[in-house]
Amino acid sequence: MKIIKKAQSGSFESSDIIVLIEPVVEKSGRNIEIDSSVMLEFGDAIAKLILDKLDEYNITDIHLIVKDKGALEPTINARLETAIMRACDLQKGTL
Amino acid sequence: MTFEDTDFRQELLDLKNPLDIKLLKTFLNSLGFDYKPEDVEITMIIYNLNNEIVGTGSLNGNTLKYVIVAPEFRDSTAFPLIVTYLADKALEKHKQCFVYTKPDTAKLFQALGYSLIATAEPLFSVLEFGYKTIKDYQHHLKKQKVKTTTTNIASIVVNCNPFTIGHRYLIEKASEENELVYLFVVSENLSAFPFEIRWKLIEEGIAHLKNVKMLATGPYIVSGAIFPNYFLKHESWSLISEKQAEIDVNIFVEYIAPVLNIKKRYIGCEAYCETTAAYNTAMHKILPKHNIEVIECERISANKDFCKNDYISASKIRDAIKKDTLKDVLTSLPECTKNFLLSEDSAEIRLKIKQRNGRH
């Protein structure tokens, strides 16, 4: 899947995560920046969640920034999915 | 007392509505802040279900302003709520957003994931958040870096609004005395002459200098973020501009000079503009501590017999345009600027200068 535009999801609140996605030139790979208040403990787990989600959507070229404030796994997955859907212009009306 | 998000209602203020403005002014004045609606593009406000104002935040371009939460709600989620909302809005149009705040509140923003760029104790900290960071700018500079073995590397930061022979003199002098000169051109478009035109005129004017490398400053040198003096009512103006300048110079020594191996900075001496004078003071104070030499040059005059008030200055040129006396100052202009100002291409800019009241 191709990232078409920049998009974000989530918030700065505690127990949430903010995800920023930006398109990059083709074949430049994945540029992922992770910052978390629980980096030491869960940094690797967050990275794995992100990579799995990108694999799931078959995304190879992306600039992705996350700032985590201790979000739980389902939250992280939901935020990632929303951001990806927005960035790929797949999001349907939700109202 | 704890609050859930659902207790909060967020709204955008209608900045054209005097009632809305009055509401916010009353709220902010009660907490000791001055609110100037002309300083901001959008303002959001958070109420609780009792219609009490919980907090507010504003945005001017990509700079967050007036982010304030009422003391009785500071243990709630109002602060991240405001910051999220504003960051959302800012990142729609920009690659990053900035916050200027006091060093002790900088921690709050850092806790939200903003990264600290520089601090000038005890007044200012600058933080940023977004797709791009100062590391990307450093990366960009590394790509532009000229391969050289010499350590005789100087730098100049210019706005050139517009380019005069005074600027050319300073650049030529640096070019003669050093093997390599990095010329930073302020890229923010807050001046009468847009960046593209300033850049083009300089490029033409210094084409004969082969050891000068032109670079755009990006948002990090002489940033256009307006002085956030609203939360500094009790500080003197000179201290504010001194600290603002310190931030700027700190960023220069910490992030820019090391990447390009800069050892000298050339500046023109400043006689009339307090802000620029504050910059020069800050540079004299900070740069030598980091092994960067500051070379302050006397300004030159268009006439041969030099008298003290006769120096060339870009603001005099703008003044002349305003008063329609451009032909009196033509001797202060290099060919490229002269041709540009006398041509039809500059008609729009000249008209804009005439209508403006500000100095820049």
Side-chain angles (χ1 to χ4, degrees):
Chain A
M1 196 134 358
K2 206 172 159 340
I3 306 291
I4 300 165
K5 56 180 187 184
K6 57 180 187 175
Q8 53 176 319
S9 68
S11 77
F12 286 115
E13 270 173 74
S14 192
S15 300
D16 199 348
I17 183 170
I18 191 158
V19 181
L20 305 184
I21 292 181
E22 162 177 69
V24 289
V25 270
E26 231 167 291
K27 299 235 160 42
S28 59
R30 293 170 179 173
N31 174 7
I32 299 171
E33 295 166 36
I34 302 172
D35 184 15
S36 170
S37 51
V38 287
M39 198 64 192
L40 268 182
E41 195 74 28
F42 295 105
D44 295 341
I46 297 169
K48 190 175 176 302
L49 281 178
I50 294 172
L51 291 176
D52 286 353
K53 195 51 86 184
L54 293 182
D55 286 342
E56 188 186 322
Y57 280 89
N58 210 355
I59 294 167
T60 47
D61 306 308
I62 190 171
H63 182 201
L64 188 147
I65 302 162
V66 301
K67 303 269 179 187
D68 169 59
K69 293 258 283 169
L72 297 176
E73 202 176 306
T75 318
I76 300 177
N77 273 329
R79 297 304 192 200
L80 281 171
E81 219 160 293
T82 313
I84 291 171
M85 297 288 237
R86 284 178 182 159
C88 299
D89 224 356
L90 291 171
Q91 201 185 35
K92 306 252 162 53
T94 46
L95 205 65
Chain B
M1 203 181 339
T2 42
F3 289 88
E4 296 293 323
D5 276 358
T6 44
D7 284 334
F8 291 148
R9 186 159 56 85
Q10 30 183 303
E11 246 173 46
L12 263 186
L13 274 197
D14 178 3
L15 293 177
K16 288 194 186 102
N17 183 340
L19 287 175
D20 274 13
I21 304 265
K22 200 177 157 222
L23 178 79
L24 199 64
K25 272 194 173 159
T26 327
F27 171 66
L28 289 180
N29 283 342
S30 71
L31 297 172
F33 296 94
D34 267 340
Y35 174 73
K36 293 199 193 86
E38 61 276 14
D39 274 0
V40 301
E41 280 163 19
I42 60 168
T43 294
M44 65 91 69
I45 193 163
I46 295 188
Y47 305 97
N48 68 6
L49 294 180
N50 296 330
N51 262 341
E52 292 165 299
I53 301 180
V54 174
T56 172
S58 303
L59 201 59
N60 182 23
N62 57 0
T63 310
L64 272 59
K65 294 190 142 191
Y66 298 108
V67 178
I68 291 149
V69 178
E72 61 269 36
F73 296 101
R74 284 190 190 153
D75 58 354
S76 72
T77 58
F79 176 63
L81 209 63
I82 297 169
V83 177
T84 307
Y85 185 92
L86 295 176
D88 260 4
K89 281 272 177 211
L91 293 179
E92 272 173 23
K93 287 189 205 142
H94 303 273
K95 287 267 185 188
Q96 77 237 89
C97 55
F98 293 96
V99 182
Y100 288 71
T101 183
K102 285 192 172 176
D104 34 324
T105 41
K107 290 189 204 97
L108 300 175
F109 283 97
Q110 269 177 297
L112 295 186
Y114 278 68
S115 36
L116 186 69
I117 305 178
T119 302
E121 292 284 352
L123 287 191
F124 286 120
S125 288
V126 192
L127 303 99
E128 68 177 348
F129 175 77
Y131 298 99
K132 273 192 158 169
T133 63
I134 195 155
K135 290 206 182 83
D136 293 287
Y137 183 62
Q138 281 182 308
H139 194 69
H140 165 77
L141 288 181
K142 265 183 208 145
K143 272 198 238 155
Q144 305 273 315
K145 192 172 175 175
V146 180
K147 280 209 178 79
T148 171
T149 50
T150 176
T151 52
N152 201 359
I153 302 173
S155 67
I156 312 175
V157 179
V158 289
N159 194 15
C160 288
N161 184 30
F163 185 53
T164 66
I165 59 171
H167 296 122
R168 197 178 61 190
Y169 163 76
L170 186 67
I171 299 165
E172 276 171 349
K173 184 173 152 71
S175 158
E176 258 168 46
E177 294 172 0
N178 297 280
E179 289 182 45
L180 182 62
V181 178
Y182 287 107
L183 179 68
F184 289 94
V185 183
V186 175
S187 52
E188 247 167 319
N189 262 331
L190 293 169
S191 308
F193 290 82
F195 171 66
E196 293 72 26
I197 298 204
R198 286 183 282 127
W199 179 277
K200 203 179 117 250
L201 293 178
I202 301 169
E203 208 172 27
E204 270 178 52
I206 62 161
H208 60 292
L209 305 172
K210 297 296 173 220
N211 62 344
V212 178
K213 169 83 180 162
M214 285 172 72
L215 295 166
T217 59
Y220 298 108
I221 313 177
V222 195
S223 166
I226 320 295
F227 291 131
N229 53 332
Y230 54 87
F231 64 79
L232 301 167
K233 271 210 291 208
H234 307 297
E235 310 290 348
S236 72
W237 179 252
S238 64
L239 184 68
I240 293 171
S241 37
E242 183 191 320
K243 291 296 165 189
Q244 178 88 9
E246 254 175 50
I247 283 264
D248 210 80
V249 179
N250 278 339
I251 293 176
F252 183 79
V253 294
E254 206 169 312
Y255 297 94
I256 291 157
V259 173
L260 299 175
N261 220 354
I262 291 166
K263 296 283 175 246
K264 287 182 201 165
R265 180 150 168 184
Y266 281 74
I267 53 181
C269 73
E270 189 54 62
Y272 78 101
C273 173
E274 273 177 41
T275 315
T276 321
Y279 267 92
N280 287 359
T281 318
M283 278 190 264
H284 280 299
K285 190 170 138 197
I286 299 169
L287 292 182
K289 280 189 210 153
H290 296 82
N291 294 323
I292 299 169
E293 196 185 337
V294 182
I295 299 168
E296 191 162 343
C297 303
E298 283 291 323
R299 285 171 177 252
I300 56 162
S301 163
N303 302 320
K304 283 202 183 79
D305 34 304
F306 183 82
C307 68
K308 210 166 184 270
N309 293 320
D310 202 21
Y311 58 85
I312 298 168
S313 144
S315 58
K316 285 187 181 171
I317 311 290
R318 294 195 299 276
D319 235 25
I321 295 172
K322 199 166 184 167
K323 291 181 191 138
D324 250 333
T325 53
L326 192 58
K327 59 180 185 315
D328 299 343
V329 294
L330 284 183
T331 49
S332 310
L333 298 174
E335 282 302 311
C336 50
T337 313
K338 203 187 297 177
N339 293 341
F340 176 72
L341 282 180
L342 294 175
S343 75
E344 267 311 293
D345 299 342
S346 63
E348 207 178 304
I349 296 170
R350 277 181 282 137
L351 188 71
K352 218 167 70 188
I353 294 175
K354 272 179 205 165
Q355 287 164 348
R356 270 196 207 199
N357 290 318
R359 271 235 327 274
H360 294 278

